[in-house]
Amino acid sequence: MVSKSDQLLIVVSILEGRHFPKRPKHLLVVEAKFDGEQLATDPVEHTDQPEFATELAWEIDRKALHQHRLQRTPIKLQCFALDPVSSAKETIGYIVLDLRTAQETKQAPKWYQLLSNKYTKFKTEIQIGIALETDTKAPVDSFKAKGAPPRDGKVPASLSGLDPKDIVVVLNEEGGYHQIGPAEYCSDFFIMSVTIAFATQLEQLIPCTMKLPERQPEFFFYYSLLGNDVTNEPFNDLINPNFEPERASVRIRSSIEILHVYLALQSKLQIHLCCGDQSLGSTEVPLTGLLKKGSTEINQRPVTVEGAFILDPPNRAKQKLAPIPMELAPTVGVSVALQREGIDAQSLIELKTQNEHELQHSKKQVLTPIKEKTLTGPKSPSVSPVPPQNPSPPTKDDATGSEAESLQYDKDTKPNPKAVGPSIPASVAQPVPASHASETASGQKIAVPATSHHFCFSIDLRSIHDLEVGFPINCILRYSYPFFGSAAPIMTNPPIEVRKNMEVFLPQSYCAFDFATLPHQLQDTFLRIPLLVELWHKDKMSKDLLLGIARIQLSNVLSSEKTRFLGSSGEQCWRQTYSESVPFIAAQGSNNRIMDLSYTVTLEDYGLVKMREILVSDSSQGLSAVQQKPPSVPPAPCPSEVQTEPRETLEYKAALELEMWKEMQEDIFENQLKQKELAHMQALAEEWKKRDRERESLVKKKVAEYTVLEGKLQKTLIDLEKREQQLVLAESEVQRERKELKLERERNLQELQDSIRRAKEDCVHQVELERLKMRQLEEDKLRLQQQLNDAENKYKILEKEFLQFKDQQSNKPEIRLQSEINLLTLEKVELERKLESATKSKLHYKQQWGRALKELARLKQREQESQMAHLKKQQEELEQMRLRYLAAEEKDTVKTERQELLDIRNELNRLRQQEQKQYQDSREIASGKLDSPRGNALEEGLDDYLTRLIEERDTLMRTGVYNHEDRIISELDRQIREVLAKNNASN
């Protein structure tokens, strides 16, 4: 006996529909919901007879199926009209399937009418089949995906003589195309292309236990396109995969009908992320949406299937991997396009532009130009050649962009030291874009855009306190923020000594910066880049030592309250001030707090910067000092009129110009050093950010894995605690039951003794109690008799009042009408019940009467056939006897022969009469008109006749039509009793 599998599939086949109104710009989709899981068909055209041809399946075991059948869990199918332009869904109706109708034997599909139909003028129906199938899961292949099993799709009428198995891909090397289907059906050329545009979160596919090659591992995407193995350009970074989008194209010769059948058979394109010969993850791109049945879209424009698809690691269920959140799921952007060869180039360009735009939107970044790759055979190169370098500069992230902006500001401007506090330098930085520069003979003029604001940012490092180390330190504070226009460090001076449990105010710790920038750039920079204040220990006997670093988040000042004040020119300005204390964290060793720093920062906004031009020297390459245009020099006075001053001599002017040139060269050299320093700092910052992103992604992955493990461990600990509590409770329960048993035994002994004593006492008092009870009963009887009389009097009074009230109520017309309505309703219900009962009885009697007539006719025919066979057999026996007598007549004498012949003739006449009588009796028995077995009993023995009657009765009873109460059976029983009585009398 074959054992049935415990795993089943509930398969709902949605075949086709009818009586739908035509809606050319809409699609139809059917969604099925069972046990909280929802499946849907592919959208089809909204015609009067849509063809869905889709199977939806739910996996379930036999125990759960039995439970659902007991609970009568329904399968609800909802039909929607889908607008492809606005993606709006409109409910048409629904169908509810009974799960109990699903059987393991295949059943014919049925037509179901839509409930709550939106199209009230149409009798809309859908053909649906429901069945149970045994779930036999095939082993999963390790690397390459197997071909999808052929679907039971319908071959179009134009291809009625074509077997779907004959639709295969054949390479034509001479023509440079792939042929799909027989040659007589292939008349059109198509181009099918697959584009891999981008990938994100690929590091989630690398398990912690997997070892990659020690040298830089190369990753690439692999897929098979019509038998051609295709890989994209390898890349090394999983966190930020940087590869050019590549498009692989194949030329196809076929027809739309054959391609539709082929894409239904090969419904998915499997794409793998590989490292060497190992698959790290894969995804499947559905191809059934390229060619929809009855659609002519491919004749006007290419058809595409595109989107960001999630990559799943191999054997996720077998490895018991934790589910990945959607925001961390690894994805790959894929676009599959199919077009007729020779379609308008403009529409193709528009399609490529649209596809790239949508893929860019899904990734939210700009894509580089797509490389083309044409596949003409299975031996095409698996790895595309190295693409030419893109002439456009690489895209930078936000942090690098802002740092580059601050570098540009520093390059295009010259710091202008200004004494704001004692020996504290301040800088003025004006950001100047090079796009507005104009060439002159001696230099370059750059205009400051009017959209920039003039800001003044001041920092006051007030005091340090709460020293945690056990020795006194001789400290200075140092910081630098290039965005303010100067990369030179700013330090407090002189060094001060700080001891434990004391607060020290910092000398010369106030600094102000004047600069111009855009407000959103200021906000973005303050949010991303904190101000790092370094704590240095100054010692005469040793080298300066960096003790700790304090992080000041400058964006806090942006959220503080704004106050209004007037500037020097009477314009309206805004001021924001923020104060707090931040800790110094040790720079080396453990991240312990060293001391706290109290500071105050102020941001003043002076409004828009007026347009002005700044002269930049050519020799400095945009790094020269900012020089204001000097006013026109008045003509020098005549030497005869005015005595020549020492400062007006040519020697003094030459010396002054030389000193100014030296100062300018020093500034140029200093700015070049600053530029190199900032470039190196930028490279270090980018490398640090890259490594920081790698560490963050690994930490996120580790945290997710540790969270799952922590949950399992927590669950195990909870289970152990519950088990320990159960054991403690069980032990205490056993001890308690022992004590209770012991107490129960002692209590039973005591109760037994007490019961004996009480029984004796009860016997003594029983008689007295009975006497007292009798007297009490007599008194109660008298009292109850009196109460009964009083109650009867009250009842009579109330009855009179009720009759009066009833008469009053009955006189009201509403009461009479209501009573008449109730009576009529009852009569109506009773008549309807009688009518329904009479209808059912009439139908039942008709069925029974027809069945009885058919059975009676069948029995009559069978009896006649049996009697005719019996007569024929007897005639054959008589013929044999006649022949035997004729043979004996030749041997005997003539006299003996004559005498025997006479006897034989007499015997033959008697036998013929007997046969005629038997046939007549059998007919009378079959029609129920036989009254007495006397005639038969006279011609044949009573025993034979009795046996025949019993056989006839048993034969009629075995048919199941007759019972003992029927007339013919009763008549046969009576005849059997009479024959038995006669047989007994004769014996």
Side-chain angles (χ1 to χ4, degrees):
M1 183 175 179
V2 181
S3 62
K4 296 182 178 180
S5 174
D6 290 333
Q7 290 297 118
L8 297 174
L9 287 177
I10 302 174
V11 181
V12 176
S13 302
I14 305 174
L15 302 178
E16 57 183 348
R18 62 186 179 186
H19 308 312
F20 281 79
K22 290 185 178 180
R23 298 178 68 179
K25 296 183 180 180
H26 287 74
L27 301 175
L28 280 176
V29 64
V30 178
E31 293 181 358
K33 188 173 184 181
F34 171 71
D35 196 20
E37 185 177 2
Q38 183 168 311
L39 303 175
T41 64
D42 292 332
V44 299
E45 292 186 3
H46 197 312
T47 60
D48 56 346
Q49 290 184 352
E51 290 188 7
F52 298 96
T54 304
E55 287 186 353
L56 307 178
W58 292 269
E59 189 177 72
I60 195 172
D61 56 3
R62 292 187 180 272
K63 186 176 180 181
L65 176 64
H66 180 67
Q67 190 69 21
H68 283 297
R69 281 180 168 174
L70 290 177
Q71 296 175 358
R72 299 186 179 183
T73 305
I75 300 177
K76 186 174 182 181
L77 282 73
Q78 283 188 297
C79 185
F80 296 93
L82 182 64
D83 188 358
V85 179
S86 62
S87 300
K89 287 199 303 185
E90 183 180 6
T91 304
I92 297 176
Y94 68 93
I95 296 171
V96 178
L97 300 180
D98 190 355
L99 184 59
R100 294 174 297 175
T101 60
Q103 304 295 331
E104 295 191 39
T105 58
K106 193 169 184 180
Q107 298 178 350
K110 298 180 181 179
W111 288 95
Y112 292 84
Q113 189 172 354
L114 285 179
L115 304 176
S116 299
N117 189 5
K118 175 180 174 13
Y119 308 128
T120 55
K121 296 182 180 180
F122 297 84
K123 189 180 178 181
T124 307
E125 294 177 330
I126 297 178
Q127 190 180 27
I128 300 173
I130 180 170
L132 293 176
E133 295 180 3
T134 304
D135 188 10
T136 56
K137 295 183 178 178
V140 181
D141 197 355
S142 60
F143 182 68
K144 288 191 177 181
K146 296 181 179 179
R151 297 186 177 181
D152 297 332
K154 294 183 179 180
V155 178
S158 59
L159 306 176
S160 57
L162 183 61
D163 189 0
K165 296 181 180 178
D166 297 337
I167 301 178
V168 295
V169 180
V170 179
L171 174 63
N172 189 328
E173 295 184 358
E174 296 180 357
Y177 58 84
H178 293 74
Q179 180 174 309
I180 299 179
E184 59 270 16
Y185 293 99
C186 301
S187 58
D188 300 328
F189 283 94
F190 302 88
I191 295 177
M192 187 176 185
S193 60
V194 178
T195 304
I196 297 182
F198 63 87
T200 59
Q201 306 290 345
L202 298 183
E203 70 276 5
Q204 299 293 335
L205 295 173
I206 306 296
C208 298
T209 57
M210 180 179 177
K211 292 184 178 179
L212 295 176
E214 294 182 358
R215 296 185 177 180
Q216 286 189 348
E218 290 189 345
F219 305 94
F220 58 90
F221 285 99
Y222 160 84
Y223 57 92
S224 178
L225 181 59
L226 299 186
N228 300 276
D229 294 337
V230 184
T231 60
N232 71 331
E233 181 185 355
F235 56 93
N236 304 105
D237 190 2
L238 278 183
I239 297 177
N240 295 309
N242 186 13
F243 60 89
E244 290 189 4
E246 295 185 10
R247 178 182 292 109
S249 303
V250 289
R251 191 165 176 253
I252 301 172
R253 181 182 180 185
S254 184
S255 65
I256 295 180
E257 292 81 5
I258 293 179
L259 279 180
H260 180 75
V261 177
Y262 177 76
L263 292 178
L265 298 175
Q266 310 292 334
S267 59
K268 294 178 181 179
L269 174 67
Q270 196 169 43
I271 299 176
H272 292 266
L273 173 65
C274 303
C275 178
D277 57 352
Q278 186 176 8
S279 174
L280 304 179
S282 63
T283 186
E284 291 181 344
V285 181
L287 301 178
T288 54
L290 285 175
L291 285 179
K292 299 174 183 177
K293 189 169 184 181
S295 175
T296 60
E297 184 181 1
I298 193 172
N299 295 327
Q300 288 83 23
R301 64 184 67 85
V303 291
T304 60
V305 172
E306 57 191 15
F309 299 91
I310 298 178
L311 291 163
D312 293 324
N315 301 328
R316 169 176 286 276
K318 186 176 180 180
Q319 298 178 9
K320 298 181 180 180
L321 298 176
I324 300 175
M326 290 301 295
E327 62 272 9
L328 298 178
T331 58
V332 58
V334 183
S335 174
V336 182
L338 180 66
Q339 63 174 356
R340 278 184 179 272
E341 191 178 52
I343 203 168
D344 188 17
Q346 182 64 29
S347 62
L348 179 60
I349 294 173
E350 293 176 358
L351 174 71
K352 290 182 179 180
T353 307
Q354 180 182 0
N355 294 347
E356 294 175 11
H357 176 70
E358 293 178 357
L359 291 175
Q360 291 166 5
H361 179 69
S362 60
K363 190 185 177 185
K364 297 181 181 179
Q365 72 175 17
V366 179
L367 297 179
T368 56
I370 298 178
K371 286 177 56 180
E372 292 288 346
K373 181 189 296 185
T374 303
L375 305 179
T376 58
K379 295 183 180 180
S380 60
S382 59
V383 179
S384 61
V386 178
Q389 189 171 0
N390 188 12
S392 60
T395 306
K396 298 181 181 179
D397 54 13
D398 295 338
T400 309
S402 295
E403 291 173 1
E405 290 170 1
S406 63
L407 286 174
Q408 184 67 25
Y409 298 160
D410 188 39
K411 287 168 58 178
D412 295 341
T413 59
K414 174 190 173 183
N416 183 16
K418 177 178 65 174
V420 181
S423 71
I424 301 298
S427 61
V428 178
Q430 301 291 344
V432 283
S435 60
H436 297 283
S438 60
E439 296 293 336
T440 61
S442 59
Q444 186 181 17
K445 293 182 180 180
I446 301 176
V448 178
T451 56
S452 299
H453 282 228
H454 177 199
F455 292 99
C456 178
F457 189 86
S458 60
I459 305 174
D460 185 9
L461 306 178
R462 303 179 66 86
S463 64
I464 51 178
H465 50 86
D466 296 338
L467 180 64
E468 292 290 337
V469 297
F471 56 90
I473 60 175
N474 195 27
C475 66
I476 64 170
L477 302 185
R478 178 182 184 272
Y479 64 88
S480 174
Y481 204 77
F483 179 73
F484 293 146
S486 173
I490 298 174
M491 296 177 290
T492 61
N493 191 36
I496 57 173
E497 184 179 4
V498 182
R499 298 180 180 273
K500 202 167 186 179
N501 298 327
M502 64 179 296
E503 181 179 6
V504 178
F505 290 91
L506 297 169
Q508 300 182 2
S509 60
Y510 179 81
C511 184
F513 301 91
D514 285 318
F515 59 96
T517 185
L518 298 175
H520 69 87
Q521 290 181 349
L522 174 74
Q523 183 177 5
D524 183 64
T525 306
F526 279 9
L527 285 171
R528 288 185 300 99
I529 306 175
L531 176 65
L532 303 180
V533 180
E534 300 173 351
L535 176 65
W536 289 83
H537 174 67
K538 302 285 286 186
D539 194 348
K540 297 180 180 179
M541 306 300 296
S542 63
K543 188 179 179 181
D544 294 348
L545 177 63
L546 177 62
L547 297 180
I549 297 175
R551 297 172 64 91
I552 297 178
Q553 189 64 35
L554 300 181
S555 60
N556 293 331
V557 72
L558 300 175
S559 59
S560 60
E561 184 180 0
K562 289 185 177 182
T563 58
R564 184 184 304 175
F565 69 97
L566 295 178
S568 58
S569 302
E571 69 275 10
Q572 182 176 331
C573 306
W574 299 92
R575 179 184 291 117
Q576 292 173 281
T577 304
Y578 181 79
S579 301
E580 70 165 348
S581 295
V582 293
F584 281 102
I585 305 301
Q588 297 178 355
S590 60
N591 294 329
N592 294 330
R593 187 179 68 86
I594 299 176
M595 67 174 67
D596 291 339
L597 167 66
S598 296
Y599 71 93
T600 300
V601 292
T602 302
L603 177 65
E604 296 178 352
D605 185 359
Y606 292 99
L608 294 175
V609 178
K610 296 180 180 179
M611 180 66 69
R612 56 177 175 169
E613 294 182 349
I614 300 172
L615 184 63
V616 181
S617 174
D618 292 335
S619 61
S620 63
Q621 298 177 356
L623 299 175
S624 61
V626 179
Q627 297 178 354
Q628 301 292 337
K629 288 186 177 181
S632 59
V633 180
C638 182
S640 61
E641 297 177 359
V642 181
Q643 186 179 359
T644 303
E645 295 291 335
R647 294 180 181 270
E648 299 296 331
T649 59
L650 296 177
E651 293 82 359
Y652 182 83
K653 290 181 179 180
L656 181 59
E657 289 179 1
L658 180 62
E659 291 298 326
M660 291 179 65
W661 179 83
K662 287 182 179 179
E663 184 180 356
M664 183 179 65
Q665 292 300 321
E666 289 176 359
D667 291 340
I668 292 172
F669 181 72
E670 183 180 356
N671 288 332
Q672 290 175 351
L673 290 180
K674 289 179 183 179
Q675 181 185 8
K676 291 180 180 180
E677 180 185 4
L678 290 177
H680 288 299
M681 292 296 292
Q682 181 182 0
L684 291 174
E686 291 179 356
E687 183 66 24
W688 177 261
K689 288 177 183 177
K690 180 180 177 182
R691 295 186 181 181
D692 198 16
R693 285 194 297 269
E694 295 176 357
R695 285 194 296 269
E696 285 181 0
S697 62
L698 293 177
V699 166
K700 287 181 181 178
K701 188 174 181 182
K702 285 286 186 182
V703 166
E705 294 176 357
Y706 289 157
T707 303
V708 174
L709 293 176
E710 183 181 2
K712 292 181 180 178
L713 182 60
Q714 191 70 21
K715 184 178 180 182
T716 306
L717 290 175
I718 293 173
D719 293 340
L720 290 176
E721 290 178 358
K722 289 181 179 178
R723 186 175 179 183
E724 185 177 0
Q725 292 175 0
Q726 291 174 357
L727 290 175
V728 172
L729 292 174
E731 186 177 356
S732 61
E733 185 70 19
V734 170
Q735 293 178 358
R736 185 181 62 79
E737 289 180 355
R738 286 181 180 176
K739 292 179 181 180
E740 288 181 355
L741 288 175
K742 186 176 180 181
L743 294 174
E744 185 71 21
R745 181 183 176 188
E746 295 176 355
R747 188 168 58 252
N748 288 336
L749 290 174
Q750 185 66 28
E751 288 179 355
L752 183 59
Q753 295 174 1
D754 294 340
S755 62
I756 295 172
R757 180 176 52 81
R758 285 194 301 269
K760 291 179 181 180
E761 293 176 356
D762 290 341
C763 290
V764 173
H765 296 289
Q766 188 68 28
V767 177
E768 185 66 25
L769 292 174
E770 289 295 331
R771 290 174 183 174
L772 293 173
K773 186 176 181 181
M774 183 61 71
R775 287 196 296 269
Q776 184 68 27
L777 288 174
E778 290 177 355
E779 293 176 359
D780 291 343
K781 178 182 178 183
L782 294 175
R783 181 172 52 79
L784 291 173
Q785 187 66 35
Q786 183 64 31
Q787 291 179 358
L788 179 61
N789 295 331
D790 296 340
E792 286 179 353
N793 295 331
K794 291 181 180 179
Y795 173 73
K796 291 178 181 179
I797 295 170
L798 291 173
E799 188 175 5
K800 289 180 181 179
E801 293 177 355
F802 176 71
L803 290 175
Q804 293 176 0
F805 176 75
K806 188 175 182 181
D807 293 338
Q808 294 175 1
Q809 291 294 328
S810 61
N811 294 329
K812 293 182 178 180
E814 294 85 355
I815 302 299
R816 288 199 302 272
L817 290 175
Q818 186 65 34
S819 61
E820 291 177 2
I821 289 171
N822 293 336
L823 290 174
L824 292 175
T825 303
L826 292 174
E827 290 177 1
K828 177 186 174 183
V829 172
E830 184 64 23
L831 290 175
E832 288 178 352
R833 186 184 61 78
K834 288 181 179 180
L835 177 61
E836 184 178 359
S837 176
T839 305
K840 290 182 179 178
S841 301
K842 181 180 178 181
L843 181 61
H844 177 70
Y845 290 148
K846 280 185 178 181
Q847 292 176 353
Q848 293 293 333
W849 178 249
R851 191 182 302 168
L853 290 177
K854 291 179 182 178
E855 186 65 25
L856 182 59
R858 187 174 58 82
L859 289 175
K860 286 181 179 181
Q861 184 179 359
R862 185 187 299 173
E863 185 64 26
Q864 289 177 1
E865 291 175 355
S866 62
Q867 289 297 329
M868 293 298 293
H870 186 62
L871 288 175
K872 187 176 181 181
K873 183 177 181 182
Q874 287 183 352
Q875 289 177 359
E876 290 177 355
E877 291 177 355
L878 289 174
E879 186 67 24
Q880 290 178 2
M881 290 175 66
R882 188 177 66 80
L883 293 175
R884 188 166 58 249
Y885 283 128
L886 289 174
E889 184 180 5
E890 295 176 357
K891 296 179 182 179
D892 297 339
T893 57
V894 174
K895 185 178 181 179
T896 306
E897 290 176 353
R898 288 180 179 178
Q899 184 65 35
E900 289 178 353
L901 181 60
L902 184 61
D903 295 338
I904 288 171
R905 286 178 179 175
N906 294 334
E907 182 68 21
L908 286 173
N909 293 331
R910 186 181 64 79
L911 290 173
R912 287 175 181 173
Q913 292 176 0
Q914 181 181 354
E915 289 173 358
Q916 292 177 359
K917 188 66 176 177
Q918 287 179 355
Y919 180 73
Q920 185 176 0
D921 291 342
S922 64
R923 291 183 63 184
E924 291 178 356
I925 290 171
S927 60
K929 297 179 180 180
L930 188 60
D931 296 329
S932 176
R934 294 179 181 178
N936 293 335
L938 294 176
E939 295 179 2
E940 61 184 6
L942 293 175
D943 293 337
D944 295 339
Y945 186 67
L946 180 62
T947 302
R948 185 168 57 81
L949 291 175
I950 292 173
E951 288 179 355
E952 289 176 355
R953 184 192 64 183
D954 294 342
T955 301
L956 292 175
M957 290 295 292
R958 280 195 297 271
T959 60
V961 178
Y962 300 97
N963 52 26
H964 290 284
E965 297 177 358
D966 292 334
R967 179 180 176 184
I968 187 169
I969 301 299
S970 301
E971 184 66 26
L972 290 174
D973 290 339
R974 184 184 64 78
Q975 293 178 9
I976 290 170
R977 287 195 297 271
E978 290 179 359
V979 173
L980 289 174
K982 286 185 178 184
N983 193 6
N984 293 333
S986 63
N987 293 334

